[in-house]
Amino acid sequence: MVSLICTIRDHRDDINWCAFSPKLLATCSSDKTIRVYFTQDFSELAFSPLTGHGYGVHCCCFSPCGKFLASCSTDATTVVWSMDTGDLVTVFEHPGRSPVRVCVFSPDSSLISGASDGTLALWDLPSKTLRRTGASNEASIVACSFTPCGQMFATGSTYGDIRVWDLELNPLHTVKNAHDLGVTCCQFAPKLQNDGCLSRLRLASCGQDSQLKIWMLSRQAAAGCKLQLLHTLVGQTAPVLSCAFSADAQLLVSGSVDKTITVYGADQGVLLYRLHQHERYVTACAFSATAPCLIATGSMDKTVNIWRVEDGIDRDEGKSLPAESSKATCEDRKLPGHTRLLVCDWSEEDVSAWLCAEGLEALVGAFKANNIDGGELVSLTKDTLASEMNIDSIGLRNKVMRKIEELKMSLVCTGVPDEFLCPITREVMKDPVIAADGFSYEREAIESWINSKNRSSPMTNLPLQTTVVTPNRTLKMAIGRWKSSQ
């Protein structure tokens, strides 16, 4: 079973990453801070929060020994902190001053950082120097993971490609369009499988296509390396933003835009649990490095949840959900996004499943009695709910309409074009404007950015020649047409 044991509410903005060491948990946020907790009781360390980044922190990771923590940010830096004192050890400025989206330690404590301009930097921590750089010729590197042996690493990009590299930053193998619309996270399993002269290792990846995939990386001296797809997992109905293997490589967890966390058996890709606790997108997840087996999940609801994974038969307490029930209850049904249908193509049963997933089970009967399918769902109004469906509670009507609006905006199995998303908030823009760097942003987000004395571009880190923004009416109309078609 999986049970929720703790909720941390210290951050003031979206949680972007969670990472465990044997004794500590680190979380980072768009509020520009990194917070560090003891895993024994999840009390915060005296030197936490760590502050030093100028903009939101995208990723954080512990060194293999646990003595150092690295964090990276839109401010184009990767900062290394001492976990003994909380002091800043060094600041690595990414070549070209591009925003850094991901950082990861190798088993020998080298450090890789990947940036929005598609470049990689390999840093040597003991000497605090840049060893070499590489480039993937892609829009943005957002995912990175080292193999347990430390001789190779994989990256994922917003173009959807997965690449395997050696330590000289030479690409060894590429899978084009591994995830349609972009990769969001990837992680190697912590255990290597050897079969004579052939080495095999599993890699998990997830992306904007609402899928979680398990790959097998094999490397043979004569034939080089090859990445082969083993499983495609569709247990979530919207983009999957994060994934992680357990320390024993037996479990795989993922977090999604549909607000759920799924836990799979990693060998066969069998769905074991579906967890419902976060109120917004689940952006981060991580397994503890030692027993007891814990999972940390972070969300855009500004919270970090800590879950304990235990052996035995699960009890349905509203926190965890067995995936292999013999009864086809509402909560056990696969939600409509598994078939990648447009909402307007949902059946009445799909609508019932969605109501259950959103905690609106009490309305299933009323919706069925009125034969509400997907097309009718998206056209419902408060007046319709009151006069035709006899839903008397104003609060309940408001909740239904709010959920329908969230569905229209966040059920991205229909595919939200990336140009419709604000680069700062990563949400569909309502009032897009063009800044001096040529990029379009949500007006409120870029004006807040500029008013906080950030006179550099969020995308390039170069100085903005002017703080004047221009309405992007063409983009606004395109977003409006797209929203009306959903």
Side-chain angles (χ1 to χ4, degrees), residues 11 29 33 36 45 55 57 107 135-136 138 170 189 212 227 233 241 255 304 329 366 371 387 436:
H11 283 290
S29 167
T33 70
V36 188
L45 273 64
Y55 305 138
V57 186
S136 64
E138 294 167 349
N170 298 312
L212 175 65
L227 205 57
L233 311 178
L241 303 180
V304 177
T329 64
N371 305 115
S387 61

Side-chain angles (χ1 to χ4, degrees), residues 95-136:
R97 295 290 299 167
S98 182
V100 184
R101 297 294 302 276
V102 66
C103 59
V104 61
F105 277 105
S106 72
D108 68 355
S109 294
S110 297
L111 184 65
I112 283 279
S113 59
S116 293
D117 62 358
T119 60
L120 292 163
L122 178 62
W123 308 91
D124 182 70
L125 182 56
S127 64
K128 302 178 183 178
T129 58
L130 176 64
R131 290 171 57 183
R132 59 183 58 90
T133 60
S136 64

Side-chain angles (χ1 to χ4, degrees), residues 12 37 95 156 158 193 201 234 272 274 328 353 388 403 411 416 482:
R12 294 175 296 149
Y37 305 87
T158 52
Q193 301 173 350
L201 189 65
V234 289
L272 303 176
R274 183 179 294 114
E388 297 182 18
K403 293 296 184 182
L411 192 60
V416 178
W482 174 82

Side-chain angles (χ1 to χ4, degrees), residues 116-119 136-141 156-157 159 161 163 174 176:
S116 293
D117 62 358
T119 60
S136 64
N137 298 318
E138 294 167 349
S140 183
I141 294 177
S157 80
Y159 278 2
D161 300 341
R163 294 179 187 267
T174 301
K176 292 286 187 181

Side-chain angles (χ1 to χ4, degrees), residues 47-61:
F47 58 69
S48 179
L50 302 173
T51 59
H53 285 292
Y55 305 138
V57 186
H58 292 297
C59 178
C60 60
C61 60

Side-chain angles (χ1 to χ4, degrees), residues 161-465:
D161 300 341
I162 295 176
R163 294 179 187 267
V164 181
W165 309 73
D166 63 18
L167 293 184
E168 298 297 320
L169 302 192
N170 298 312
L172 303 177
H173 185 73
T174 301
V175 178
K176 292 286 187 181
N177 300 314
H179 286 276
D180 189 24
L181 304 176
V183 177
T184 53
C185 186
C186 67
Q187 189 184 57
F188 277 108
K191 292 187 177 181
L192 184 70
Q193 301 173 350
N194 287 307
D195 181 13
C197 60
L198 184 66
S199 296
R200 293 188 177 93
L201 189 65
R202 284 176 295 171
L203 173 73
S205 67
C206 55
Q208 297 287 348
D209 55 4
S210 309
Q211 296 179 349
L212 175 65
K213 295 184 177 182
I214 302 176
W215 310 80
M216 181 65 76
L217 176 67
S218 57
R219 187 175 190 183
Q220 197 168 17
C225 67
K226 180 181 179 182
L227 205 57
Q228 180 180 3
L229 181 63
L230 296 181
H231 304 290
T232 298
L233 311 178
V234 289
Q236 288 162 311
T237 64
V240 185
L241 303 180
S242 56
C243 61
F245 278 103
S246 60
D248 61 5
Q250 297 301 304
L251 298 175
L252 179 63
V253 65
S254 64
S256 170
V257 167
D258 68 7
K259 309 175 192 174
T260 68
I261 302 126
T262 52
V263 182
Y264 297 88
D267 289 336
Q268 301 299 324
V270 176
L271 179 60
L272 303 176
Y273 304 100
R274 183 179 294 114
L275 311 175
H276 304 267
Q277 193 69 27
H278 287 291
E279 296 178 358
R280 295 197 68 195
Y281 304 170
V282 182
T283 51
C285 57
F287 272 101
S288 60
T290 56
C293 186
L294 302 174
I295 301 173
T297 58
S299 168
M300 290 176 65
D301 63 12
K302 307 176 188 178
T303 69
V304 177
N305 283 330
I306 309 299
W307 311 80
R308 178 180 286 113
V309 183
E310 299 173 319
D311 294 332
I313 299 174
D314 182 68
R315 293 173 296 166
D316 185 6
E317 298 175 342
K319 299 172 183 175
S320 56
L321 179 67
E324 298 180 309
S325 171
S326 59
K327 295 183 179 180
T329 64
C330 281
E331 292 186 358
D332 290 330
R333 285 189 78 250
K334 287 186 176 181
L335 296 177
H338 292 274
T339 61
R340 298 183 62 80
L341 293 175
L342 293 171
V343 178
C344 60
D345 293 330
W346 283 8
S347 67
E348 293 177 25
E349 288 302 316
D350 290 330
V351 172
S352 296
W354 173 76
L355 289 169
C356 292
E358 296 294 346
L360 299 168
E361 299 92 336
L363 298 180
V364 169
F367 274 65
K368 283 188 174 181
N370 287 273
N371 305 115
I372 303 297
D373 59 14
E376 288 157 339
L377 176 68
V378 296
S379 63
L380 286 176
T381 65
K382 290 182 181 178
D383 291 340
T384 304
L385 293 174
S387 61
E388 297 182 18
M389 300 185 65
N390 300 317
I391 299 176
D392 297 326
S393 168
I394 296 175
L396 191 54
R397 291 200 299 268
N398 288 338
K399 182 176 181 179
V400 172
M401 294 308 302
R402 188 167 62 249
K403 293 296 184 182
I404 290 174
E405 287 303 313
E406 289 179 5
L407 178 66
K408 291 178 181 179
M409 296 297 291
S410 67
L411 192 60
V412 200
C413 58
T414 56
V416 178
D418 192 64
E419 61 267 25
F420 292 177
L421 301 176
C422 172
I424 297 174
T425 66
R426 297 306 295 169
E427 295 183 353
V428 177
M429 288 180 276
K430 298 177 182 177
D431 186 12
V433 294
I434 304 172
D437 59 3
F439 291 93
S440 292
Y441 304 90
E442 178 65 41
R443 180 187 291 275
E444 183 178 354
I446 189 64
E447 288 181 347
S448 175
W449 180 282
I450 293 171
N451 290 337
S452 61
K453 299 181 180 181
N454 296 313
R455 295 303 177 90
S456 60
S457 163
M459 295 297 287
T460 67
N461 272 327
L462 297 175
L464 293 171
Q465 298 302 313

